Amino acid sequence: MSGRDGSSAAAGRARLTSAAGRFTGDDLDRLVRAAGQDDQAAVARLVHVLRLVVARYCRALLGGRDLAYLSADDVAQDVCAAVLRALPGHRDRGGSFLHLVHAIAADKVADACRIVAGGRFGTGTGQPAALSRLAPLQREILALRIVVGLSVGETAEMLAIPAADVRAIQHRALAELREALRDC
């Protein structure tokens, strides 16, 4: 039985939605394996699948910042290139591919903010006051769930935490935001 968040009780695997359609975790694993073995068609398909999701993530986190010469789409392109470079090592180590993508994307976004801010990037810089009150994990979950549009299962896999924790943290974050906005 499928839940509202796109997860399946039987499969228990996250699905990735892109313009190319919906991929199950098994579909993505097969694609990642083929791309990691230098199958150029698989590499092209993997980049196509990741590009939109990664771009939404980067736009969600960088969209409100004045990055002058650096755009969220440029950062997303750097993320995709870094993911492709990391594929051979990922295959050897195992683990969640989506977690790897998230880790690389989060690092690239932070790097972009540090570059633009001349090393003065801080958690609250450029964020609305209500969002700056949230813990970093709460902001990350809201960005992945609400702005990027990932399911609970996809978010859990990206962050390497249980789906129940994603739901609880999202619920607390939204409650804190409502409270913060009432204070405004």
Side-chain angles (χ1 to χ4, degrees):
M1 171 189 287
S2 281
R4 189 174 153 267
D5 63 8
S7 64
S8 166
R13 298 285 312 217
R15 299 178 208 203
L16 184 67
T17 303
S18 75
R22 195 135 174 103
F23 278 72
T24 66
D26 291 336
D27 295 335
L28 188 59
D29 289 344
R30 279 191 295 276
L31 187 59
V32 168
R33 271 193 305 278
Q37 295 169 348
D38 290 330
D39 176 337
Q40 292 305 304
V43 169
R45 180 112 168 111
L46 182 62
V47 169
H48 179 74
V49 167
L50 291 178
R51 183 174 290 140
L52 292 175
V53 173
V54 170
R56 283 193 314 245
Y57 175 81
C58 292
R59 288 177 194 143
L61 297 177
L62 297 171
R65 289 182 168 52
D66 177 17
L67 299 178
Y69 60 89
L70 190 62
S71 77
D73 290 339
D74 293 335
V75 175
Q77 184 173 340
D78 287 347
V79 170
C80 289
V83 167
L84 291 178
R85 285 191 301 274
L87 272 178
H90 167 73
R91 186 182 67 223
D92 297 338
R93 284 190 315 271
S96 166
F97 177 71
L98 290 178
H99 182 70
L100 171 71
V101 172
H102 174 262
I104 291 171
D107 285 346
K108 294 288 186 185
V109 166
D111 288 348
C113 290
R114 276 192 294 275
I115 288 168
V116 170
R120 295 182 308 274
F121 174 62
T123 347
T125 306
Q127 293 179 355
L131 283 178
S132 67
R133 293 183 185 182
L134 298 178
L137 183 58
Q138 289 176 314
R139 287 192 303 268
E140 190 73 15
I141 287 173
L142 290 181
L144 291 170
R145 292 279 294 128
I146 296 170
V147 181
V148 178
L150 297 182
S151 70
V152 169
E154 291 163 344
T155 303
E157 188 171 340
M158 276 196 148
L159 299 176
I161 62 175
D165 289 357
V166 170
R167 286 184 190 94
I169 293 167
Q170 179 181 342
H171 177 76
R172 281 193 303 273
L174 291 173
E176 288 179 34
L177 275 178
R178 278 191 291 276
E179 185 65 32
L181 291 173
R182 266 187 243 135
D183 294 344
C184 292

